[in-house]
């Protein structure tokens, strides 16, 4: 028996970015920062930020792209997946992502000028890829490795993600 489940609560590091596969399936990506405070061996408080790349498919991805914005606090639940692809120079690249099956806004009230995240009695939406191109069809061969040559999570300090918009161009569509 095995289990691949990840649950995080954090803040969006940038606005969600939505695209469509050639078959018309919506896929939305965004980053979430989680924080951890701890005491170092000298007794001083330290803060550590961990960044997660999140991928949301289908209708849920469309709702996320429409309603969530940079800075919003969210709960994300899903599985961890490492993909590999070749960049334009022919180098093998890897990235580790949280493939979400549940995203819930934890915002208490609407921010000025923004529409509220839809509510379905539980305040969340669950979903799956339901017929979307499989990860193998998308060239996302899970490699079992835990490292990430680019775009994975970075830790330390309170700096933002080091990835840019081009980092999301690794999807094969």
């Amino acid at each position: 028996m095995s289990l691949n489940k990840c649950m995080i609560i954090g803040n969006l590091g940038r606005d969600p970015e939505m695209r469509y596969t050639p078959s018309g399936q919506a896929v939305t990506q965004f980053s979430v920062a989680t924080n951890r405070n701890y005491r170092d061996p000298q007794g001083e408080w330290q803060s550590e930020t961990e960044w997660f790349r999140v991928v949301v498919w289908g209708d849920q991805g469309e709702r996320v792209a429409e309603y969530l914005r940079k800075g919003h606090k969210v709960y994300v639940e899903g599985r961890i997946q490492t993909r590999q692809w070749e960049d334009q120079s022919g180098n093998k690249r890897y990235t580790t992502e949280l493939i979400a099956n549940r995203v819930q806004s934890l915002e208490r009230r609407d921010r000025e000028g923004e529409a509220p995240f839809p509510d379905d009695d539980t305040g969340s939406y669950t979903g799956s890829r339901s017929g979307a191109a499989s990860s193998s069809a998308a060239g996302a061969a899970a490699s079992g490795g835990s490292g990430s040559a680019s775009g994975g999570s970075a830790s330390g300090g309170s700096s933002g993600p080091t990835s840019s918009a081009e980092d999301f161009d690794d999807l094969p569509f």
Side-chain angles (χ1 to χ4, degrees):
M1 182 161 120
S2 62
L3 176 68
N4 179 353
K5 185 171 187 169
C6 181
M7 298 177 285
I8 62 171
I9 294 176
N11 295 78
L12 268 70
R14 64 174 155 231
D15 288 349
E17 187 176 309
M18 184 175 64
R19 295 185 181 173
Y20 289 92
T21 64
S23 65
Q25 182 74 13
V27 58
T28 300
Q29 299 179 324
F30 57 93
S31 59
V32 174
T34 62
N35 298 309
R36 180 175 84 96
N37 296 317
Y38 63 96
R39 287 188 187 258
D40 64 17
Q42 293 76 32
E44 299 292 321
W45 281 103
Q46 300 293 322
S47 179
E48 181 177 87
T49 302
E50 190 75 31
W51 289 92
F52 292 84
R53 289 180 62 158
V54 180
V55 178
V56 188
W57 289 87
D59 293 340
Q60 182 175 233
E62 290 178 342
R63 287 190 302 272
V64 164
E66 182 178 353
Y67 294 104
L68 296 181
R69 294 292 171 257
K70 179 180 179 177
H72 282 194
K73 186 169 288 294
V74 293
Y75 166 79
V76 180
E77 183 177 313
R79 63 185 171 83
I80 299 293
Q81 176 177 292
T82 301
R83 298 186 292 116
Q84 110 180 9
W85 77 97
E86 278 190 24
D87 65 15
Q88 294 175 343
S89 303
N91 300 316
K92 279 189 180 177
R93 304 287 301 237
Y94 298 88
T95 189
T96 302
E97 301 165 320
L98 193 168
I99 309 301
N101 58 18
R102 181 177 181 189
V103 177
Q104 179 175 346
S105 174
L106 300 179
E107 291 296 307
R108 291 187 172 264
R109 60 185 176 272
D110 301 343
R111 294 182 182 219
E112 189 174 320
E114 294 180 0
F117 198 68
D119 187 6
D120 67 350
D121 293 337
T122 64
S124 68
Y125 288 97
T126 57
S128 66
R129 292 180 62 173
S130 63
S134 71
S135 60
S136 60
S143 66
S146 61
S148 114
S150 85
S153 56
S155 63
S158 60
S159 62
T162 58
S163 60
S164 67
E166 291 97 30
D167 290 339
F168 290 120
D169 289 338
D170 59 342
L171 291 175
F173 44 82

